[in-house]
Amino acid sequence: MQIETATHGDLLEVTPKGRLDSNSAPALEKVLLERIDAGQSKLTIDFGSVDYISSAGLRVLLMAAKRTGAAKGRFSMHSLSPEIREVFEISGFLTILKVYPDLNAALAAQ
């Protein structure tokens, strides 16, 4: 899995690419925790290039959302494919995490 980051004002966009599973989730967790611990409290995850997510990936997202919330920040996701969106629906994550159709919508919500 590749992980790219981009800054849009005070919002950090993290773009994982590939499968987000038990093998790759620790790498995403490391990137997110390093940024959150460094004071980055507004994050959005671009799921446009993620083709699979497991429970390990969901756990990382939930942990990052809790940490940013504790820091009075914001955590969101955008550009979910129909397959990834279905996983979030089934797991109940769509009711607890902010999801936007694209980056522009995530930026507008800041």
Side-chain angles (χ1 to χ4, degrees):
M1 162 175 277
Q2 288 183 299
I3 301 170
E4 297 177 1
T5 61
T7 304
H8 307 278
D10 61 351
L11 178 69
L12 176 68
E13 180 183 34
V14 179
T15 306
K17 296 182 177 187
R19 295 174 57 92
L20 184 49
D21 56 22
S22 59
N23 291 323
S24 58
L28 180 60
E29 180 177 1
K30 181 177 187 281
V31 169
L32 294 175
L33 291 183
E34 284 176 354
R35 293 299 184 101
I36 294 167
D37 291 345
Q40 182 71 52
S41 63
K42 293 183 180 178
L43 299 166
T44 189
I45 310 296
D46 176 356
F47 272 90
S49 298
V50 174
D51 52 25
Y52 174 84
I53 186 166
S54 73
S55 60
L58 293 173
R59 183 193 63 78
V60 168
L61 298 175
L62 186 58
M63 181 206 45
K66 286 182 178 182
R67 290 252 186 125
T68 55
K72 307 277 191 259
R74 295 181 57 107
F75 182 88
S76 66
M77 303 172 295
H78 68 85
S79 303
L80 279 66
S81 69
E83 296 81 14
I84 298 296
R85 185 173 194 80
E86 182 178 10
V87 172
F88 281 101
E89 285 175 12
I90 291 169
S91 66
F93 274 48
L94 289 182
T95 61
I96 57 175
L97 298 176
K98 297 283 185 189
V99 178
Y100 299 101
D102 54 34
L103 175 61
N104 289 334
L107 287 169
Q110 293 300 311

